[in-house]
Amino acid sequence: MRIHIEATNLPGRSCPPNAGFPGYDGIHVGVQRRDRRDELLGLHPGDASSAAWTLECTAVATPGGADIRGPHIQGRPGGRFIYLAWGSVDDTGAFTMFRRAKLMLDAVDPATVEAAVRGGRLVARLGLTDGRGEPLRAAVRPPLIEWSAGA
């Protein structure tokens, strides 16, 4: 199975300081690999018009429903998620993470997961800028993210 993430409304390559946010330049976002904090899939600049990632995964049937696993799937059964890592990229190309967003797989409707397992594809659509104009962070669940099967 594959999970395809389609993101729009990125916050920009620079975000000024705000209460509780020191501000950053060179902002980029990518998908963090499980147990490898510094290994990112598909790093996109924060001023891109959109960003997309496709993750290979498997769905294992359990009494509680499908358990989605893969190299970019984080967490324990029943609490799985995907990390979008936000960081600053300097002139040498070094990425320094400053925040993450957790795309919560336990928030996907079970019928949608079942249809995605049958069809082989789960799609997530979301905007990546929060209400303060900063990179989206924390646990992300509907209505901030829309999950569908196959489309």
Side-chain angles (χ1 to χ4, degrees):
M1 187 171 99
R2 291 188 173 132
I3 297 175
H4 185 71
I5 302 166
E6 299 173 359
T8 58
N9 192 31
L10 280 76
R13 205 174 286 222
S14 294
C15 286
N18 226 332
F21 183 74
Y24 293 93
D25 292 315
I27 295 173
H28 286 68
V29 62
V31 176
Q32 182 182 319
R33 187 176 174 95
R34 183 186 66 247
D35 298 327
R36 296 184 190 166
R37 183 180 175 129
D38 295 326
E39 190 174 322
L40 300 171
L41 173 69
L43 200 58
H44 293 276
D47 61 355
S49 60
S50 63
W53 300 272
T54 300
L55 314 177
E56 296 291 333
C57 59
T58 58
V60 178
T62 70
D67 180 27
I68 301 173
R69 304 173 185 172
H72 295 91
I73 309 298
Q74 313 274 345
R76 301 182 188 279
R80 304 269 192 215
F81 60 91
I82 299 164
Y83 265 140
L84 294 184
W86 291 100
S88 187
V89 175
D90 66 19
D91 293 338
T92 68
F95 178 89
T96 304
M97 184 172 51
F98 61 80
R99 90 173 15 162
R100 295 184 287 195
K102 291 170 91 170
L103 309 186
M104 303 304 298
L105 294 172
D106 64 351
V108 182
D109 179 70
T112 300
V113 173
E114 289 175 22
V117 170
R118 285 192 308 274
R121 185 173 165 163
L122 179 63
V123 178
R125 291 184 179 93
L126 74 159
L128 293 182
T129 301
D130 71 11
R132 295 177 8 161
E134 298 171 4
L136 185 67
R137 68 182 181 275
V140 180
R141 294 182 167 87
L144 296 177
I145 188 168
E146 176 187 316
W147 293 97
S148 63

